[in-house]
Amino acid sequence: MIIKSFQIPNKKSDLLKYNLFLLYGENVGLKKDIRKLITEEITKKDGKVEVSFLYENEIISNEENFYNSIFSGSLFGDKKIITVYDATDKIMEKISYICERKIENVTLIFFSEVLEKRSKLRTFFETNKKIICTPCYLDNEKDLATIAQLELKKNNIILSQEIINLLVENSNSDRNNLR
């Protein structure tokens, strides 16, 4: 199921119903923000959460270890959140296998670069109603200006609008760079 990035803050409580997320696109900062929001919501609900990170090539080279981390319980928390970086169509079979089984107490977040419309991974996540797919496109200048103002306000920093505009221009349309 597709959920647009701007809809996610309004659907925070609904996110807990899902175990698999695909965040794709060139906006790394937005993907990190969404992952942080998912982690915060799960932590708020379940308390202790074990967080781990993997890359697709690690999964391909050690498939058994990947499945063990998903299907075994967490030693340090009530729930696990596993973020998989650089996801491509190569791990589609593994994702399909996981999706067929009901996994509990584990949330998988897949980070991917830009995916073509015909990508198996993208198509799988978009058409399945039990998992979430979110495109993360570059921010526009208005969004970046708003983010800059919120960050400055949070840190009690006062800057002129001209300087904020200069920061936005030099951010390369990515909130991660802006921060």
Side-chain angles (χ1 to χ4, degrees), residues 72-87:
S72 66
S74 172
L75 296 173
F76 304 107
D78 300 325
K79 243 187 158 184
K80 280 186 191 178
I81 299 174
I82 302 171
T83 302
V84 178
Y85 292 99
D86 301 333

Side-chain angles (χ1 to χ4, degrees), residues 26-169:
E26 59 261 328
N27 194 335
V28 176
L30 179 56
K31 289 188 269 189
K32 286 180 179 179
D33 287 351
I34 294 170
R35 181 188 63 211
K36 182 179 175 188
L37 193 116
I38 293 168
T39 304
E40 287 172 353
E41 285 301 307
I42 292 171
T43 304
K44 210 183 298 180
K45 181 182 179 272
D46 295 318
K48 283 191 169 184
V49 176
E50 181 183 334
V51 179
S52 60
F53 305 93
L54 295 169
Y55 284 88
E56 180 187 78
N57 58 5
E58 294 174 319
I59 294 169
I60 292 170
S61 65
N62 196 346
E63 195 172 317
E64 186 178 331
N65 188 31
F66 176 60
Y67 288 133
N68 285 340
S69 66
I70 292 171
F71 296 118
S72 66
S74 172
L75 296 173
F76 304 107
D78 300 325
K79 243 187 158 184
K80 280 186 191 178
I81 299 174
I82 302 171
T83 302
V84 178
Y85 292 99
D86 301 333
T88 64
D89 289 345
K90 292 178 186 175
I91 60 168
M92 188 53 233
E93 285 180 32
K94 292 156 188 55
I95 294 170
S96 179
Y97 176 79
I98 293 165
C99 208
E100 289 171 8
R101 279 130 193 87
K102 290 203 171 190
I103 57 171
E104 293 182 26
N105 299 326
V106 177
T107 299
L108 289 164
I109 303 170
F110 296 92
F111 276 31
S112 186
E113 294 300 316
V114 177
L115 294 173
E116 297 290 326
K117 187 75 173 159
R118 63 179 184 260
S119 163
K120 292 177 188 175
L121 185 62
R122 179 176 168 179
T123 303
F124 181 75
F125 272 85
E126 286 179 347
T127 56
N128 193 327
K129 297 289 182 200
K130 297 177 184 175
I131 55 182
I132 292 181
C133 177
T134 303
C136 298
Y137 301 117
L138 291 176
D139 293 310
N140 62 34
E141 287 188 14
K142 182 181 175 189
D143 293 338
L144 290 170
T146 303
I147 291 167
Q149 289 170 343
L150 289 172
E151 288 292 322
L152 292 169
K153 190 175 194 178
K154 191 186 329 178
N155 295 305
N156 293 326
I157 300 171
I158 299 170
L159 295 175
S160 70
Q161 190 59 45
E162 290 174 5
I163 295 175
I164 293 172
N165 291 342
L166 187 62
L167 289 171
V168 168
E169 286 175 28

